[in-house]
Amino acid sequence: MTAAATDTSEFVVVGIGADGWAGLTDRARDELRSATVVYGSTRQLELLPDLDATTVAWHSPMSEHLQQVLSATSHSPVHVLASGDPMFHGVGSTIVNAVGRNRVRVLPTVSSASLACAELGWDLSRTQVISTLRDDADVVVPALTDGRRILVLSRGSQTPAAIAEVLVRNGFGWSTMTILEQLGGPQERTVESVARSYRPQPHDALNIVAIDCVGPSTTRLPGLPDDAYEHDGQLTKSAVRALTVAALAPGGRAILWDIGSGSGSVAIEWLRADSDGTAIAFERDQVRAARLGRNAVRHGVAGALTLLGAAPESLRRAPDPDAIFIGGGLDDEVLTASWHALLPGGRLVANAVTVETQSLLVDWHRRVGGTLRRFSIETVEPLGSMTTWRPALPIVQWVVTRTDDES
């Protein structure tokens, strides 16, 4: 950022660690000495010496208080304290996204992830960092695999116990957990335990949980076993699900509509494939919707999945999608509404089992194009004292990408 931009910044975000004032650079200290008002958590504000500035602790919920601060008119820069590196899972990113980078100046200090890896001797570039500041502990599930090292940014003192429970429940009970508290500060403390032997104990609210994974080798590729989901039979089966999610091509910050979601397996595996994506599941049956929610929690993607009601009525409540899957409730009205909502360059995938819905896809393929294919999958099953191939119902799948000139 240029010097001119620095002089006119309306918001200055200063990163501060557990070592407080002593750990700040001269530039950061001078910035805070010149401040007229400083916002931060009570813990952060207590790390400051006496300053001429007015100090204001965040009200709960912080998100609402921050929005009020960002919307207010101020004749001098507003200073905000953040933990460690404000642009690493921090309030700095939130402020920049809200008001624009040209109105913000950020003065970072060492991130908690860097301090943790320095303490553990881990290579930060090969360590996955996951935040539970806004998500439950289950958010770590998609990352779990044998040999992986993970740092979990904790929401508070209860996070280590929740992480241990998730590890044990998912077959990673032999993983080593290291709880690092108040990193870099005078009250720094490290507690190590195997997840299956962990016993809840008092922890400082400012902690990171380091996980050295021991357990099964897992993959984010689609096609989880059918018994990985709670369902009533309304489930896109494993092999077809793998083909379907691959056809949807998850990637980046794309938004998926999963229409007639049932157990939610397609939306869940879309989210598992790329953690930057989001999904909106449409399901009219309340029992199935509740079951879908439990499946999302179980697979660690609940924070990225929104559940709405029936299609097409609920479609207008959702942001325009980059990809659409129609697995249940397929009819011409739903297909038409979905097609008009799909963003240019977006992809629609529809699966049909009945002759009527298959005929519908044939008609749309004739009018719009795309790829139409039919899957027949057989599985070995017992037949008396012997075995035989048992065919599943054939699936017709239509895959199409919308171009700019289509309506």
Side-chain angles (χ1 to χ4, degrees):
M1 189 174 287
T2 65
T6 297
D7 292 339
T8 59
S9 297
E10 300 170 46
F11 302 94
V12 181
V13 187
V14 179
I16 189 168
D19 51 356
W21 188 257
L24 296 180
T25 63
D26 290 340
R27 182 184 178 197
R29 292 178 192 171
D30 290 343
E31 190 63 55
L32 291 171
R33 289 191 185 105
S34 70
T36 57
V37 59
V38 180
Y39 291 88
S41 68
T42 300
R43 177 187 60 79
Q44 291 165 342
L45 295 173
E46 289 175 347
L47 297 172
L48 300 180
D50 289 335
L51 299 172
D52 293 334
T54 299
T55 57
V56 182
W58 295 117
H59 304 158
S60 182
M62 176 189 164
S63 57
E64 292 183 8
H65 191 186
L66 176 61
Q67 185 56 50
Q68 294 170 8
V69 171
L70 298 180
S71 302
T73 300
S74 176
H75 299 292
S76 58
V78 173
H79 289 70
V80 176
L81 294 179
S83 294
D85 184 347
M87 303 304 290
F88 185 71
H89 295 280
V91 71
S93 301
T94 304
I95 295 174
V96 169
N97 290 338
V99 304
R101 64 177 297 272
N102 292 328
R103 297 175 62 190
V104 186
R105 182 153 45 96
V106 179
L107 303 179
T109 190
V110 181
S111 72
S112 57
S114 293
L115 291 171
C117 283
E119 177 70 22
L120 296 165
W122 289 5
D123 181 347
L124 179 55
S125 68
R126 299 179 63 84
T127 300
Q128 185 160 349
V129 182
I130 298 173
S131 174
T132 62
L133 301 179
R134 294 184 178 88
D135 293 301
D136 293 331
D138 295 274
V139 73
V140 305
V141 172
L144 297 177
T145 191
D146 190 57
R148 177 167 289 162
R149 288 173 167 174
I150 301 171
L151 292 180
V152 181
L153 309 183
S154 294
R155 181 186 301 175
S157 59
Q158 303 303 311
T159 302
I163 293 294
E165 191 275 330
V166 169
L167 292 173
V168 172
R169 173 160 41 89
N170 287 275
F172 289 84
W174 287 105
S175 301
T176 300
M177 292 172 50
T178 305
I179 300 98
L180 304 109
E181 306 174 3
Q182 289 280 343
L183 276 168
Q187 304 299 318
E188 181 174 325
R189 185 175 80 119
T190 300
V191 178
E192 187 174 301
S193 174
V194 173
R196 69 195 302 270
S197 303
Y198 174 84
R199 296 293 179 267
Q201 57 184 283
H203 291 290
D204 190 274
L206 188 65
N207 74 80
I208 282 185
V209 181
I211 307 169
D212 204 344
C213 292
V214 177
S217 294
T218 63
T219 179
R220 286 178 178 253
L221 295 176
L224 291 174
D226 293 344
D227 61 9
Y229 296 96
E230 180 185 347
H231 64 91
D232 60 358
Q234 186 72 10
L235 175 79
T236 302
K237 300 301 189 290
S238 175
V240 175
R241 189 186 327 124
L243 294 165
T244 299
V245 176
L248 288 165
R253 297 182 179 179
I255 298 173
L256 170 72
W257 282 7
D258 182 2
I259 298 176
S261 190
S263 66
S265 62
V266 170
I268 288 168
E269 296 193 25
W270 158 280
L271 295 170
R272 281 173 48 85
D274 193 310
S275 58
D276 287 334
T278 55
I280 301 167
F282 298 89
E283 177 54 56
R284 68 173 67 246
D285 187 285
Q286 293 302 307
V287 174
R288 286 177 177 164
R291 189 181 294 121
L292 188 161
R294 293 193 294 272
N295 282 330
V297 169
R298 177 180 180 180
H299 291 284
V301 298
L305 188 145
T306 301
L307 182 59
L308 296 179
E313 297 84 359
S314 297
L315 299 183
R316 64 178 65 91
R317 298 165 51 196
D320 291 343
D322 302 285
I324 299 175
F325 171 60
I326 309 175
L330 177 61
D331 60 27
D332 192 63
E333 183 181 10
V334 168
L335 200 47
T336 299
S338 299
W339 182 249
H340 287 305
L342 187 64
L343 292 170
R347 179 169 291 198
L348 187 149
V349 178
N351 290 353
V353 176
T354 68
V355 170
E356 290 78 8
T357 53
Q358 290 176 358
S359 297
L360 179 64
L361 295 187
V362 170
D363 181 57
W364 273 79
H365 173 259
R366 178 184 55 78
R367 291 157 45 197
V368 177
T371 300
L372 195 65
R373 50 199 172 200
R374 180 178 177 183
F375 305 134
S376 295
I377 297 174
E378 300 181 1
T379 305
V380 167
E381 293 186 5
L383 181 64
S385 61
M386 306 185 74
T387 55
T388 189
W389 291 101
R390 186 80 64 186
L393 291 173
I395 303 289
V396 170
Q397 183 179 86
W398 180 47
V399 181
V400 63
T401 299
R402 179 171 177 175
T403 60
D404 290 338
D405 59 351
E406 290 171 322
S407 60

